[in-house]
Each structure stands twice: as C-alpha cells, then as structure tokens.
Amino acid sequence: MSDLRIARARVTAFACSAISVALLLSTPARAVEQGGTITPMGVTDFGAGLLPPTTPYGTAGLRSSYYSSSTLRDGSGKEIPNNFHLEVETVSLAYFYMTDVELLGARLGFGGVLPLMNISGRLNVPTPSGPFAISGSDFGLGDAAIMPLLLAWQAPPNFFVNAGLQIQAPTGEYSASKAFNTGVNHWTITPILGATYISDGGFELSTQINVNFNTVNPATDYRSGIEYKQEFAVGQHIDAWTVGVGGYAYQQISDDKGTGSRDGNRARVFAAGPAISYFKPGMPLFTLHAYKEFGAENRPEGYNVALRLSMSF
C-alpha cells in the first residue's frame, strides 16, 4: 500500500472514530479502523432500561448531536501533534414499535434508526517525504440500524430491564480514497442490555451495555476488533425534570486485523458531564447532555453534545 493510501486509511479511521450519532437506543456511526468506534457513544442517559410504551402507532424520535475534537491520542494516551480537528453534526430519525406480545416474560418490539450526517476535518500524516496534510468533508445518509428484536421487562416496583439486537447495515456512502465517509462499508452486530432503577424518592441510576461484533471491510480487508461500550446516568427526579450526570466508557477488547493494525490498535475513551431530561405524560420526552471525553487511547478525545426528542402515538 502506498504512503498516500496508508495516510488516507488512517485519517478515515481516526476521523470516523469520534462520531457520536444515535437516537433512543442506538444508531449507526463510523469505523474503528486504526482505532475508534463503530456504533455511537453518548446515545442513552436517563431511562436507559426503559423502552417505549405499547401504543397504536409506535414511537417516533429525533436526535441532533454535535461532536468536536482537536486532540488525537496514541496508544499510550499521549497527544499526537498533527494539526488534527474533527467536527460531526448529525440528525437522526428513529421509529420503535412495542407490542403486548410476550416473549420470556417481556414485551416484544422492534425498531430502526437512520442518520443524516455532516462531517469535516483535517489531519497531518507523517510520510518519508514529510508531513502530508489531509482535509475533507462529507454529507449524506449514514449507515442504517435495524433492531429486529427488542424486549422490555419491568421488575416491580422500581426496576426496569431491556435487551435487544441491533444490526448496522452498510447503507451509507463509502470510498476508500476519501478521507471522510458517512458509511463504514461493513456490517456490525450489537447485542444490547439496559437497566434503570428509580427509588421511591425519585433517585435514578441507569446504564446500558453494548458489544460490537464487526465484519471485514471488503474495500480495505480490515476487520475492527470487538468493542465494549457502557453508558450511564445518575440523577434525581424533580417533578417532570430529571437532573444529574451521565457519561460512557469504551474499551476495544480484541485486536484489529489488517494493514496498519500494528499491535492491535485497541482504542479506549471515557466521558462524563451534565445531563437533564423533561417528561410529562402525553407530552414529548426531551433529553439533553454535554460530555467531555478523557483517558483516550488510539482515538480522538473531544466533546459530545446531544439533544433528543421522542413521542409515542
């Protein structure tokens, strides 16, 4: 592979790794090649263990997110001085339909998410002839997420659990010659487990765990490793408001395979920040969070802001 192609492969992976695109349960995002994350982070906060109610027409949602990073870190967590910058703006549409059909004691449902993305960035990549500056942008539909199985349990009186299976399909545009892509060009299978506890006094503790299993990108013969991601939120309900903190922990638990994978290129990052939500019966659900990332390795480290609205019909 030429130096130029290696450079492009690296910038594509690094740039895409930081994207946080999601809605309600989850949605598609970018690639882990050279270190990053396939599915988005900063998806859930309060109510991670709850799924929508059973209604005649289901639940629709809209999520707008913004990610910005000017720091790229190596496998030791040290900043790489390479004029790196990344911005990603996303608007995602989601639909979920829950039924009264029971499976394993849980309500059965399904759903799907489709993101529209605007990504831009720059990066200096070292080559034998000196630094090579790469910049670019892309705009369009991202990879669609299909959730053919959703299960919602309630363990009285205050404990809620859900589980699901997400299949991320390579529907977004992708070119190996481009620095930035709205698609990742491979499939990702993700089992999901969420839980929420709300005390009688309104104290809430929520978390969701995702594990990504990635297939090979046929354009690069690169296979990203298995990824573990856990999101959380801790807060207090005050009338219709819930106020507290949220965040996520991400750790790649198996090596990448392919050109440029080096020592396995395992990535990690953590994030935390304020979170707030508002909900009254019969009204849309509103949530907002703003997270600062830290402890990154083999990936960008930046800021994640997301606003989510959903309504059951």
Side-chain angles (χ1 to χ4, degrees):
M1 182 181 289
S2 68
D3 292 334
L4 177 58
R5 187 171 179 184
I6 292 174
R8 289 189 179 277
R10 286 177 177 170
V11 73
T12 299
F14 283 137
C16 294
S17 69
I19 299 176
S20 296
V21 182
L23 175 60
L24 300 177
L25 291 178
S26 57
T27 81
R30 308 291 55 87
V32 180
E33 293 186 25
Q34 306 295 330
T37 178
I38 299 294
T39 58
M41 294 186 285
V43 175
T44 62
D45 40 55
F46 301 116
L50 287 80
L51 286 175
T54 300
T55 57
Y57 304 107
T59 298
L62 174 70
R63 184 176 188 271
S64 176
S65 65
Y66 174 75
Y67 182 89
S68 177
S69 174
S70 296
T71 302
L72 189 61
R73 299 196 180 275
D74 63 17
S76 300
K78 297 180 180 179
E79 182 176 353
I80 303 172
N82 56 1
N83 193 34
F84 173 78
H85 186 71
L86 171 69
E87 289 190 4
V88 184
E89 300 165 336
T90 306
V91 176
S92 299
L93 298 175
Y95 177 77
F96 296 91
Y97 188 83
M98 300 300 297
T99 72
D100 285 325
V101 176
E102 286 196 4
L103 177 63
L104 303 176
R107 289 185 299 125
L108 180 64
F110 58 88
V113 185
L114 184 65
L116 178 67
M117 303 176 56
N118 182 30
I119 175 173
S120 62
R122 65 175 186 267
L123 177 69
N124 289 343
V125 178
T127 71
S129 58
F132 181 81
I134 295 178
S135 64
S137 62
D138 197 15
F139 174 80
L141 294 175
D143 291 340
I146 302 167
M147 283 157 273
L149 177 65
L150 296 172
L151 298 171
W153 293 271
Q154 179 175 355
N158 302 341
F159 190 56
F160 305 85
V161 176
N162 66 57
L165 178 66
Q166 174 180 290
I167 302 172
Q168 181 172 296
T171 57
E173 182 182 356
Y174 179 88
S175 172
S177 64
K178 293 176 60 177
F180 299 90
N181 290 281
T182 58
V184 302
N185 202 44
H186 66 78
W187 296 77
T188 300
I189 310 299
T190 305
I192 300 169
L193 178 64
T196 291
Y197 170 76
I198 304 175
S199 72
D200 292 337
F203 173 76
E204 177 176 337
L205 177 62
S206 287
T207 190
Q208 185 187 87
I209 295 172
N210 296 356
V211 181
N212 291 341
F213 297 89
N214 303 300
T215 64
V216 174
N217 179 345
T220 60
D221 291 326
Y222 196 100
R223 181 168 187 166
S224 298
I226 299 172
E227 307 164 274
Y228 175 89
K229 178 181 65 180
Q230 183 165 5
E231 306 200 7
F232 70 89
V234 180
Q236 178 66 41
H237 289 248
I238 306 171
D239 295 326
W241 296 91
T242 307
V243 180
V245 297
Y248 49 79
Y250 165 82
Q251 176 67 61
Q252 190 175 333
I253 59 177
S254 72
D255 293 346
D256 288 357
K257 302 295 184 181
T259 302
S261 59
R262 304 186 303 278
D263 60 351
N265 196 46
R266 297 193 187 191
R268 78 169 193 186
V269 75
F270 307 98
I276 187 171
S277 73
Y278 179 86
F279 176 71
K280 278 188 175 181
M283 300 292 290
L285 168 68
F286 157 90
T287 71
L288 174 67
H289 65 239
Y291 297 157
K292 170 67 173 69
E293 292 183 329
F294 59 94
E297 294 181 359
N298 279 328
R299 56 156 289 134
E301 183 179 276
Y303 297 87
N304 177 331
V305 180
L307 171 66
R308 173 164 51 103
L309 299 172
S310 64
M311 182 73 181
S312 298
F313 299 93

